[in-house]
Amino acid sequence: MNKILTKPKVKNEIITSPSHMLDLKSYIGGHWLDGSGDREISSINPADTRETIGVFKSASQKEATQAIAVAEQSFPTWRATPAPVRGRIVQKALEIARKRKAELARLMTREEGKILSEAAGEIEKGNNLLEWYGGEGLRFMGQTAPSELPRNLLYTVRQPLGVVSIITPWNFPWAIPCWKIAPALVAGNTIVFKPASNTPAMAVEFVKILEEAGLPQGVLNLVLGSGSSVGSVLVEDARLRAVSFTGSNEIGKGVYQNAGRRGIKVTCEMGGKNPCVVWEDADIPLALIGVLKGAFGSTGQRCTATSRLLLHEKIAEEFLDKLLAEVKKIKVGNGLDPEVGMGPVVDSKQFETVLNYVEIGKREGAKLLFGGKKITQGDLKHGYFLEPTVFDQVTPKMRVFQEEIFGPVLSVVRVKSFEEAVNVSNAVRFGLTSAIYTQDLTLGMRYSEEVQAGMVHVNSPTIGGEAQVPFGGMKESGVGEREMAKEGILFFSEPKTVFLDYTGQKRQSNVY
Ligand code: NAP
């Protein structure tokens, strides 16, 4: 029997053969319910569009408004719950998620398409964030400061904001909810969560785990609905105290403007067009691994994907020969097959977008070295499979150099000097992440100083992040507070400064 179609053997498996298709629902005030919108939205396996993972009745603005009202009612009690207790609920969720890791990874592969090892890696990464933020319940601290006045205790406490909305994309359907929702909860906010319409099943599992961990009803509310219908409520409702969005620049700009107009906190983490420089002295085998992972891991559907490769001219030919030899070996297919190295793109829209960029690249004069086509052999014709694609002789004026493609397409530029490498790296409107491969520490340090990116990797791929350090981009890649680490919880809380005068008598003079 074909390995890919073998029935799952994991005991606790979420089975979604047509008869077991998941009936996905919104979750408001502790109740699972169908939306009243006029659309029924299906979550389809991008590796085999004959498989429907689940279906939900789309929420309308009515449920989005209701979810905000419930979150508002639930806020006083959640705010009064001690932060260490809030943190412990997140830690309990972590325990459950760890036990269910294999099964969640499998669901992610079937719903989003990334290969199983990457899905398991994402669950692990999200779990690290639950671990970090669970602990933050014990560290939700203010500061004391020396006052200008005698017998005056001057201190700060951190307080939650209130009702916050969290809007997430499909490409990291576990890790991104973890890195937004965990700090928001631990800081004492109540939440309305809208995941991408492509990955509702992962969002439902995330909420179920928090429910099982003991999160009180009404604290976290899930609205399954399309961004175009419920989005405006979740950005503009006057009761929201913050909006945390991750997604495209196209949508993010509107979110930032509409929420920012009301003077509330907004963070928008958006696209990237990340450069990887391979210098003449680079450890070539190491750089090859980094470029392959960065460009084609998760089918290039990462905000941190390596989409521009800047090769020092002296090693360019040698590097490209070796790179192409490896790219040709990538087995494309269903990510449940352990032999597969690259899964499908997520849906028909993304499929057409990437193919369109291949045509744009060819028209602009870039040289297509490999790939660029649909893969339709055998069962692959039922999925959104594309060849890993490499363009050479790309110039900074080209759209394939400037625009986020969000697929397995790598654009190669050759550079002669360090200054040129920095200028070419910085010649886009994005500034999310970057990488350089060199054995010259001075060069690596200079690059990390001069590249316009929120994150820099020296001798490692552009991808990745760790719970305990900030994640996010410069320039048009991000606005608002960075995510993860301390920054994540700072965004979802605000300081209050307390002046406690214990002189017990009228002051002779009050300086200020
Ligand atoms: P997207 O189309 O912008 O959608 C993101 C989210 O916004 C989805 O939940 C979407 O709902 C919702 N949405 C759509 N229209 C909306 C509106 N008018 N108001 C409010 N919300 C609305 O992005 P995507 O295709 O899901 O994700 C890919 C993008 O995310 C890429 O650009 C990638 O670089 C970026 N990304 C950035 C980071 C980072 O940390 N910088 C991380 C991951 C991904 P529907 O699904 O229902 O349309």
Side-chain angles (χ1 to χ4, degrees):
M1 195 192 292
N2 182 332
K3 264 186 189 169
I4 301 168
L5 300 178
T6 307
K7 276 257 173 81
K9 289 197 185 97
V10 183
K11 212 173 151 206
N12 202 12
E13 181 62 83
I14 305 160
I15 299 169
T16 58
S17 66
S19 55
H20 291 95
M21 198 187 296
L22 298 170
D23 180 17
L24 303 166
K25 293 184 187 294
S26 292
Y27 181 73
I28 300 174
H31 304 287
W32 293 96
L33 46 89
D34 286 326
S36 64
D38 51 11
R39 287 180 65 198
E40 195 169 78
I41 301 181
S42 299
S43 165
I44 305 288
N45 182 344
D48 187 342
T49 56
R50 294 168 298 180
E51 184 190 22
T52 300
I53 308 292
V55 178
F56 65 88
K57 295 208 175 65
S58 180
S60 67
Q61 297 198 341
K62 182 179 144 207
E63 284 83 30
T65 307
Q66 192 190 342
I68 293 171
V70 166
E72 192 182 37
Q73 283 157 20
S74 309
F75 178 60
T77 310
W78 186 241
R79 176 187 195 275
T81 304
V85 176
R86 298 192 298 246
R88 258 171 236 131
I89 293 177
V90 170
Q91 282 165 341
K92 177 73 189 158
L94 166 66
E95 249 174 64
I96 302 167
R98 277 192 175 141
K99 284 192 191 128
R100 294 186 53 194
K101 180 176 167 185
E103 166 217 351
L104 290 169
R106 221 178 147 85
L107 177 66
M108 192 193 301
T109 293
R110 286 159 64 223
E111 186 170 57
E112 197 268 356
K114 66 181 67 177
I115 61 173
L116 200 51
S117 56
E118 290 170 338
E122 182 184 336
I123 302 289
E124 190 66 33
K125 178 177 179 173
N127 289 354
N128 290 346
L129 285 145
L130 296 180
E131 185 176 31
W132 169 269
Y133 284 119
E136 283 295 278
L138 294 166
R139 298 184 291 264
F140 193 51
M141 295 176 198
Q143 295 177 324
T144 56
S147 171
E148 298 280 358
L149 302 172
R151 296 196 171 166
N152 203 48
L153 176 60
L154 187 50
Y155 69 95
T156 66
V157 287
R158 293 210 73 84
Q159 297 199 322
L161 305 174
V163 181
V164 301
S165 76
I166 288 179
I167 303 174
T168 58
W170 46 264
N171 68 327
F172 279 90
W174 178 259
I176 295 180
C178 286
W179 84 53
K180 290 180 186 286
I181 291 173
L185 286 177
V186 171
N189 302 281
T190 51
I191 299 169
V192 182
F193 166 35
K194 195 212 101 56
S197 296
N198 275 340
T199 48
M202 283 304 295
V204 164
E205 292 309 311
F206 181 85
V207 173
K208 279 186 182 167
I209 285 173
L210 275 156
E211 185 187 38
E212 191 184 334
L215 193 67
Q217 295 186 341
V219 172
L220 172 62
N221 303 280
L222 171 71
V223 173
L224 296 182
S226 88
S228 53
S229 69
V230 297
S232 59
V233 175
L234 297 182
V235 170
E236 292 176 40
D237 189 289
R239 292 166 293 184
L240 295 170
R241 301 312 314 146
V243 178
S244 176
F245 167 91
T246 296
S248 63
N249 286 64
E250 197 189 353
I251 304 290
K253 272 193 179 162
V255 168
Y256 192 73
Q257 279 164 4
N258 293 334
R261 195 179 294 144
R262 291 200 298 108
I264 62 169
K265 278 181 140 181
V266 192
T267 184
C268 291
E269 283 300 338
M270 299 174 284
K273 190 73 190 175
N274 311 297
C276 176
V277 177
V278 180
W279 207 242
E280 58 178 318
D281 66 348
D283 175 334
I284 299 290
L286 184 73
L288 270 173
I289 295 170
V291 172
L292 286 164
K293 273 192 177 174
F296 305 114
S298 295
T299 322
Q301 299 175 120
R302 278 180 157 136
C303 54
T304 55
T306 303
S307 48
R308 295 179 295 143
L309 173 61
L310 279 54
L311 294 177
H312 191 284
E313 60 171 6
K314 285 193 186 150
I315 49 97
E317 288 303 326
E318 175 202 348
F319 192 85
L320 277 178
D321 284 349
K322 290 184 170 155
L323 180 72
L324 287 181
E326 293 302 322
V327 170
K328 286 174 189 167
K329 284 188 222 158
I330 297 175
K331 183 174 174 193
V332 180
N334 188 321
L336 292 180
D337 177 349
E339 300 295 310
V340 160
M342 192 176 94
V345 296
V346 77
D347 61 12
S348 59
K349 183 172 163 241
Q350 207 55 33
F351 195 59
E352 293 310 324
T353 301
V354 177
L355 287 168
N356 190 34
Y357 270 110
V358 172
E359 292 312 311
I360 291 170
K362 287 198 259 181
R363 273 205 306 276
E364 285 178 319
K367 184 176 171 194
L368 183 63
L369 293 184
F370 185 76
K373 294 191 290 297
K374 301 174 187 181
I375 306 178
T376 53
Q377 288 102 315
D379 273 351
L380 298 198
K381 64 175 172 293
H382 298 296
Y384 302 118
F385 294 101
L386 292 168
E387 292 172 336
T389 301
V390 182
F391 274 118
D392 192 12
Q393 293 172 19
V394 173
T395 65
K397 287 211 170 107
M398 294 180 182
R399 286 181 64 191
V400 290
F401 177 98
Q402 290 291 341
E403 297 174 17
E404 185 184 47
I405 298 174
F406 221 54
V409 181
L410 180 65
S411 295
V412 181
V413 184
R414 291 148 198 250
V415 290
K416 294 187 190 65
S417 65
F418 177 76
E419 287 66 30
E420 191 183 2
V422 170
N423 289 338
V424 172
S425 294
N426 293 341
V428 293
R429 65 188 175 116
F430 300 102
L432 187 55
T433 177
S434 55
I436 185 165
Y437 283 84
T438 175
Q439 300 194 50
D440 179 344
L441 184 60
T442 306
L443 203 80
M445 290 301 293
R446 279 180 61 202
Y447 186 75
S448 70
E449 277 168 26
E450 292 181 36
V451 71
Q452 295 165 350
M455 295 167 287
V456 191
H457 297 257
V458 180
N459 294 324
S460 60
T462 53
I463 54 178
E466 294 194 24
Q468 63 280 22
V469 285
F471 181 93
M474 293 179 175
K475 296 161 84 177
E476 293 187 32
S477 286
V479 278
E481 190 74 70
R482 292 280 197 274
E483 302 199 274
M484 301 197 202
K486 279 272 173 214
E487 281 76 355
I489 204 157
L490 291 181
F491 173 77
F492 287 111
S493 59
E494 55 194 345
K496 181 179 275 177
T497 306
V498 182
F499 301 82
L500 198 163
D501 187 326
Y502 57 97
T503 47
Q505 57 198 29
K506 203 170 158 205
R507 285 192 187 279
Q508 292 302 321
S509 69
N510 218 338
V511 195
Y512 297 110

